[in-house]
Amino acid sequence: MTTEHNLRSNFVFAPPEDNPAAWQASLETFRDALERAFPDAFLETNTSSLRDVPVLDFEIEVAPDVFVTGTAAMPAPDYAHVSIIDVTTDAAALFAQWLRDSYVPSPATVRFLSSFVMENGDETPWPLPATGDATEIEAVLRNHLAAAGAE
């Protein structure tokens, strides 16, 4: 019997700390990539109340009836992060695979952190696997949450 995992968390994805410009990201290129991959995406540019920088709020359907809501902040080539909010690990894995395989220039340049781990005082990002499908990414996300005692 399989246990269904409905635990939800927030995840943040970012370039490597030692190479913050690795993505060479901008809100425009991220918006364009989302529009190409998810034609029915909800996309809205706003200003972050926390940092007073432009952000892109989005909601996309990563699989039939599986939606991911998030915010991307990319105000400079050497600063980028994408947060997804209140997602299960399977939905987060689908988004992470798209980000790694379709947006960032090198699959080895994505690291992530969850709100559960941060709430426990650990702010050390984990690397996203550079290869593998969403199932393999989901296993890494689950291990990350388990390290914080969330699973």
Side-chain angles (χ1 to χ4, degrees):
M1 178 168 145
T2 7
T3 305
E4 189 171 334
H5 296 279
N6 289 323
L7 180 67
R8 299 175 95 67
S9 183
N10 301 335
F11 288 91
V12 176
F13 300 93
E17 189 172 13
D18 63 348
N19 187 6
W23 291 4
Q24 288 298 301
S26 73
L27 287 185
E28 294 77 22
T29 62
F30 191 69
R31 173 188 279 278
D32 291 346
L34 285 173
E35 286 176 333
R36 278 191 309 277
F38 309 100
D40 295 328
F42 167 80
L43 306 169
E44 183 176 66
T45 302
N46 290 303
T47 301
S48 167
S49 57
L50 295 174
R51 294 192 177 92
D52 196 34
V53 298
V55 296
L56 178 67
D57 294 327
F58 61 90
E59 182 177 57
I60 56 175
E61 188 174 16
V62 293
D65 296 321
V66 178
F67 293 88
V68 170
T69 301
T71 301
M74 302 174 181
D78 63 348
Y79 176 81
H81 78 269
V82 179
S83 303
I84 56 176
I85 304 157
D86 193 30
V87 293
T88 59
T89 52
D90 61 327
L94 289 168
F95 175 80
Q97 182 181 13
W98 170 81
L99 180 71
R100 181 197 68 193
D101 295 349
S102 300
Y103 181 69
V104 300
S106 168
T109 63
V110 182
R111 60 190 174 118
F112 73 94
L113 195 58
S114 72
S115 56
F116 281 118
V117 171
M118 289 173 51
E119 287 169 4
N120 286 335
D122 185 355
E123 295 190 12
T124 306
W126 285 35
L128 195 68
T131 61
D133 63 12
T135 302
E136 293 169 277
I137 294 171
E138 183 179 358
V140 173
L141 298 177
R142 285 192 190 288
N143 288 339
H144 174 78
L145 294 175
E151 287 236 329

